[in-house]
Amino acid sequence: MAVSNTRLVPRSVNFIRLLWILVILWYELGTFYHHTSICQWPDRSLVTSGTSTTTPTHVLLVADPQILDHRSYPDRPPWLMRLSQLIVDLNIRKSWRATLRRNPDAAVFLGDMMDNGRVDMTDEEYERYVRRYRSIFSARKQLPMHYMPGNHDIGLGLSSPSYRFSEYARERYLSNFGPLNQHISISGHTLVLIDAPGLVDEDRARAASGMSYTEWATSHPNGTAAFVHAFSQTRADLPEGAKPILFTHVPLSRPAGASCGPLRERGTIREGKGLGYQNLLSPQASQFVLQSIRPAIVFSGDDHDYCEYTHALPIVDSKRPSAPDSIPEITVKSFSMAMGIRRPGYQLLSLLPPSASPDVQTFAHTPCLLPDQLGIYLSVYVPLIVLSLAALLLWNIRRSCMRHSSPAARSNEWTSLGPSGSAEPDFDLPPPSAWRNKEFPRPGWRHTFAFTVFGRRLRLTLSATAVLDSLIAFFWTGGKAGEEDGYRRRGILKGFLVDVRDVAWAPLALFVVIAWWVW
């Protein structure tokens, strides 16, 4: 008698569980590495602009990560604030880990490292805050990291009774992040990092006093204005053609409504000020900085969204009239998902030594985007949760209806499928005993482990067939056919809840594993 070739009917719960596992793998990990892999260093424009074979130096620019703390959203209840903090921290950790795959030679942070670094708190709390920041942005020891202050790091202007700035904010910044103003040399280029919040405060006091910038710099030798003025006196010592690159947390002044280019998500940068912030440097301060430093390009932060603008700088030292210099300014996107934009980002900067290519452009930059985490939650997870619940509910309603239908219908629903694909009751006689008892060789490896537990000798045998059967049962068939009897007897609600549990545990476990690995 011929033996029918039967197979099990796949269960919907296993298909949905497998789908969720793939979705979690991609949207919680894969998409971050995909976004960073498709954004390459802008070396090609440097290579094609000259004949130099020098390898460019790669600098990663990160703006406004603003690591949250319990004060960041005062209107939220503590449990929601804690959840928000965990979600944002996890997002930034994944973004940073993926970004480091670009193997930068140096990193420059454009201020606002911590959301409330300026707030009045104890030294112990501030140290915990800094440790948390450093654990998120951990990197190899060989990666140089350079910082400049933002208004959320050291404060700007006067505080209020309900939101007090610490009188030690600047001292704490100096102890943990380095100088407020500095210039560094990378690949023959001079990078000038200024304390923009401090310049805003100085500019207000200078304007009130009626002093010029030179007079103010002379009377306040430790301020940002004095640093900028001193740099202007030494600018002539730079190699010929090697213009500095300026970094400022607060963007420079521009006309109202000036376009930011097509890469901005919405609106433009408008002049405004309030408690602890000012959107733009004043026109006078901006001209003072540009005339003193005369940079090749400016990189700024603070606004959180991307912006491109070109400043026209008149040439006042020339004896004959000439066209003004055009100085581009790039406002770098925030690295955090919590800063009012859908797509966080960062900037890649490639540098060639000016001496290697004296007559061509020796720097190039490009913006890079990170995943839309909020969009993933709202456009992927929420619809998929709704569809998964609906599918499981409909499956259980159908199962319950079939259980209460005619015996013939139940037989057709729950019997095996024959070679033709149609359901057939199994009326075949059992195979001969000789056939049943015959041992057929099974392909694959087989290994037995022997070990002792509490004095008892135990043996564990693993084989390729057993592992393969377990994987098939986990991802597809859901177990042996005989195990369906208890499943069919469940009610709609109980079956639905059990199916939800069976679908959810594996994706949730995978999410926890990814979070643990990233953390």
Side-chain angles (χ1 to χ4, degrees):
M1 180 179 296
V3 179
S4 62
N5 181 22
T6 63
R7 61 184 177 88
L8 295 176
V9 180
R11 289 178 56 184
S12 61
V13 63
N14 294 282
F15 173 77
I16 298 176
R17 178 169 56 190
L18 177 59
L19 176 62
W20 267 105
I21 289 174
L22 297 176
V23 167
I24 292 296
L25 274 174
W26 175 251
Y27 285 106
E28 292 301 321
L29 202 60
T31 187
F32 288 86
Y33 288 90
H34 171 70
H35 276 77
T36 55
S37 65
I38 63 176
C39 190
Q40 302 291 327
W41 293 99
D43 297 346
R44 186 181 300 273
S45 59
L46 295 177
V47 173
T48 57
S49 62
T51 59
S52 174
T53 58
T54 305
T55 301
T57 299
H58 297 145
V59 183
L60 172 65
L61 308 184
V62 178
D64 302 272
Q66 285 189 220
I67 304 303
L68 306 180
D69 73 347
H70 64 277
R71 305 175 183 86
S72 296
Y73 299 104
D75 296 333
R76 296 184 182 181
W79 69 268
L80 183 56
M81 183 61 247
R82 179 60 177 168
L83 179 62
S84 303
Q85 181 177 310
L86 290 174
I87 291 175
V88 174
D89 280 9
L90 180 60
N91 172 266
I92 296 178
R93 287 177 185 271
K94 289 184 291 187
S95 297
W96 177 248
R97 182 182 284 262
T99 304
L100 288 181
R101 294 290 296 271
R102 304 270 18 105
N103 294 318
D105 299 308
V108 176
F109 288 79
L110 280 70
D112 280 2
M113 277 69 75
M114 303 186 299
D115 191 39
N116 284 301
R118 61 188 175 183
V119 173
D120 189 19
M121 64 181 77
T122 63
D123 291 338
E124 292 76 13
E125 184 179 0
Y126 186 85
E127 290 171 2
R128 288 196 303 269
Y129 205 173
V130 172
R131 284 197 301 269
R132 186 166 134 247
Y133 169 85
R134 296 198 182 282
S135 71
I136 293 174
F137 287 99
S138 60
R140 66 183 191 274
K141 293 182 179 180
Q142 296 81 4
L143 179 64
M145 292 190 181
H146 307 282
Y147 303 93
M148 66 181 186
N151 53 304
H152 283 263
D153 299 314
I154 60 175
L156 188 156
L158 300 176
S159 59
S160 69
S162 59
Y163 191 76
R164 296 179 59 240
F165 298 159
S166 173
E167 59 180 317
Y168 306 109
R170 289 178 173 270
E171 296 177 14
R172 289 169 171 171
Y173 178 91
L174 288 168
S175 300
N176 291 278
F177 295 101
L180 296 170
N181 297 285
Q182 60 178 318
H183 54 83
I184 56 179
S185 178
I186 298 180
S187 189
H189 290 263
T190 300
L191 278 57
V192 181
L193 286 63
I194 66 171
D195 172 14
L199 181 59
V200 170
D201 288 337
E202 285 187 62
D203 193 45
R204 293 174 181 175
R206 181 204 61 80
S209 67
M211 294 184 182
S212 66
Y213 282 101
T214 301
E215 294 170 338
W216 180 267
T218 303
S219 59
H220 298 80
N222 296 322
T224 303
F227 171 82
V228 172
H229 180 70
F231 184 85
S232 69
Q233 305 303 308
T234 61
R235 194 180 65 231
D237 299 334
L238 297 176
E240 184 178 356
K243 290 186 176 182
I245 299 176
L246 174 63
F247 293 83
T248 168
H249 177 71
V250 181
L252 303 182
S253 177
R254 73 276 316 269
S259 174
C260 280
L263 299 181
R264 188 174 177 85
E265 292 189 14
R266 61 180 182 271
T268 186
I269 303 179
R270 300 184 181 278
E271 186 175 356
K273 62 183 68 175
L275 176 62
Y277 76 91
Q278 181 169 308
N279 293 341
L280 298 169
L281 292 179
S282 69
Q284 297 79 12
S286 299
Q287 283 297 309
F288 165 67
V289 171
L290 290 176
Q291 290 285 359
S292 300
I293 298 178
R294 305 196 75 86
I297 190 172
V298 181
F299 291 100
S300 58
D302 188 62
D303 182 68
H304 302 164
D305 203 352
Y306 187 82
C307 185
E308 294 181 6
Y309 180 77
T310 300
H311 300 274
L313 183 64
I315 299 178
V316 296
D317 296 332
S318 178
K319 295 181 180 179
R320 57 183 180 180
S322 57
D325 282 344
S326 295
I327 302 177
E329 179 181 350
I330 305 298
T331 302
V332 181
K333 273 204 165 199
S334 170
F335 200 74
S336 172
M337 62 171 285
M339 296 296 111
I341 54 174
R342 295 297 295 267
R343 299 292 300 275
Y346 55 95
Q347 202 84 5
L348 299 180
L349 175 64
S350 295
L351 300 174
L352 281 177
S355 58
S357 303
D359 298 325
V360 299
Q361 184 168 316
T362 55
F363 67 90
H365 61 90
T366 186
C368 299
L369 297 178
L370 292 167
D372 178 6
Q373 186 72 75
L374 185 60
I376 292 173
Y377 291 151
L378 298 180
S379 302
V380 178
Y381 290 168
V382 171
L384 190 56
I385 288 174
V386 173
L387 290 175
S388 300
L389 294 176
L392 293 176
L393 181 60
L394 291 175
W395 171 262
N396 278 274
I397 292 175
R398 179 176 179 271
R399 173 189 55 78
S400 180
C401 293
M402 295 303 297
R403 180 165 61 91
H404 292 90
S405 62
S406 64
R410 293 199 304 272
S411 176
N412 288 336
E413 170 66 18
W414 294 103
T415 53
S416 301
L417 297 180
S420 63
S422 60
E424 300 175 356
D426 189 4
F427 296 124
D428 290 336
L429 293 176
S433 59
W435 186 90
R436 295 199 311 270
N437 294 333
K438 185 177 181 179
E439 294 185 359
F440 293 93
R442 289 176 173 249
W445 54 266
R446 180 185 180 92
H447 191 78
T448 301
F449 302 90
F451 51 92
T452 303
V453 178
F454 297 113
R456 297 183 60 184
R457 187 72 172 173
L458 301 178
R459 296 168 64 87
L460 176 64
T461 300
L462 295 177
S463 66
T465 304
V467 172
L468 182 60
D469 290 344
S470 299
L471 290 175
I472 293 175
F474 175 79
F475 286 113
W476 188 249
T477 62
K480 298 179 180 179
E483 297 174 356
E484 298 288 351
D485 296 336
Y487 177 80
R488 292 199 306 269
R489 289 193 292 269
R490 295 173 184 159
I492 295 177
L493 180 59
K494 182 178 180 181
F496 172 72
L497 294 177
V498 170
D499 283 348
V500 170
R501 179 202 64 189
D502 291 343
V503 167
W505 75 265
L508 288 176
L510 178 61
F511 180 87
V512 172
V513 170
I514 292 175
W516 173 82
W517 178 71
V518 171
W519 216 269

